[in-house]
Amino acid sequence: MALALAGLAGLLVLCGLAAGSEGWSLQWLGGWAAVDNPAAAEWALVLDIRAPRTLGALLTGGLLGLAGAIAQGLFRNPLADPYLLGSAAGAGLGVVLVLAAGGALGHYIGLATASSLLRVGLVGAAFAGAVLGVLLTLLLARGTGRPMVLLLAGVVVGILLSSVSELVTLVSPEALRGKQIFMLGSTSFLGWPGSAVLGGVLLPAAVLAWRYARALDALVLGEDSAASLGLPLRRARLLLVLLMALATGTAVAQAGLVAFVGLVAPHLVRRVVVVTHGPLLLLSAAAGGVLLLAADVAARSVMAPQELPVGVLTAVLGGVYLMVLLRHRQRGLL
């Protein structure tokens, strides 16, 4: 499966470099050494815009796939996703607060200056909000020792932060449009700096998750059986929750709320191969990257020159996949 995912990723990277607002083109392949011709101009476009966006989509999907596999292993629930612990609501609140503050500052420092500050502040605010949401969940649940309590605490924190976000948009209506764009998810703003951040988080997160994957294998047997094996479950569970928060917060900060990738990627892997959590985590990261990159290429191409929000496309495709899966399981029970 790893080879198949690598092949799909390579093919999709080529598609991502070829897909543009005016359709698909490979003219840039001969433009890297050319001067003052259309191929050279397209090569510059690919290098500055399409390449970082393609790489960023692959890395964002990898973070979401990894976080989804961790969540499903921690809660022993195949319907768990990376946004369960309040990270999505926290990120949304952070974005709304920055947008509201930017609208107020625009009256004093000028709209151009406020816009430049917003571009920097939104990423940091989304990441800080996502991490804050998870920390509030951990505080409310008093640690990670009781997974069901932790899950319920995440639901409560998510509702609370979402409510605060709605109140802020009532006070500052100009923040509503920016919030909607963020909630739909988009890879169109990804550049080389964002891709570097995504890669810098994905690599160590994947290594650490692999190292502590034995704890997830042990939890499959139940809490008591896992504790009898002598593994440091409390430390491993806390570290995995923090890794999930870091991966989710980084992905959300760069691309907004991209739905269903973290939920569907581990499902697809488990339907193809039966492996322990170590390989499952890495394969889920690869599958998440392939899924999001495929959705990004489709979002650019389906209605070109217009572009669909990639989060809407992943939500539709992910929802259809889960409906089909549920239908097949119901038939199997009859």
Side-chain angles (χ1 to χ4, degrees), residues 36 40 43 45-46 49 60 81 83 89 128-129 132 148 170 184-185 201 208 245 253 258 286 297 307 322:
D36 295 333
W43 173 257
L45 177 67
V46 168
I49 297 178
T60 300
D81 77 353
Y83 302 139
L132 177 62
M148 186 56 65
L170 286 176
L184 291 175
V201 172
L208 283 173
V258 179
V297 172
E307 185 175 316
L322 291 180

Side-chain angles (χ1 to χ4, degrees), residues 13-196:
V13 165
L14 182 61
C15 293
L17 297 179
S21 60
E22 297 181 356
W24 287 31
S25 172
L26 294 175
Q27 186 179 10
W28 52 270
L29 286 175
W32 66 274
V35 179
D36 295 333
N37 62 21
E42 189 171 354
W43 173 257
L45 177 67
V46 168
L47 191 61
D48 295 336
I49 297 178
R50 294 183 194 169
R53 176 175 179 172
T54 298
L55 178 60
L58 188 67
L59 294 172
T60 300
L63 284 170
L64 292 174
L66 178 65
I70 293 174
Q72 293 176 14
L74 279 173
F75 297 112
R76 302 194 294 278
N77 187 340
L79 293 180
D81 77 353
Y83 302 139
L84 279 178
L85 299 186
S87 58
L93 177 58
V95 166
V96 167
L97 289 174
V98 170
L99 289 172
L105 283 175
H107 297 293
Y108 298 99
I109 63 177
L111 292 177
T113 305
S115 298
S116 62
L117 291 175
L118 280 177
R119 282 194 292 270
V120 177
L122 285 177
V123 175
F127 178 78
V131 173
L132 177 62
V134 174
L135 292 179
L136 286 176
T137 300
L138 290 173
L139 183 63
L140 183 60
R142 296 183 178 180
T144 59
R146 296 171 294 176
M148 186 56 65
V149 175
L150 183 66
L151 185 59
L152 293 175
V155 174
V156 171
V157 169
I159 293 173
L160 175 62
L161 296 181
S162 296
S163 300
V164 175
S165 177
E166 295 298 329
L167 288 174
V168 174
T169 56
L170 286 176
V171 176
S172 179
E174 63 270 14
L176 183 60
R177 178 174 175 79
K179 178 189 174 183
Q180 289 176 335
I181 295 174
F182 173 79
M183 297 295 287
L184 291 175
S186 176
T187 56
S188 59
F189 302 108
L190 288 170
W192 287 119
S195 297

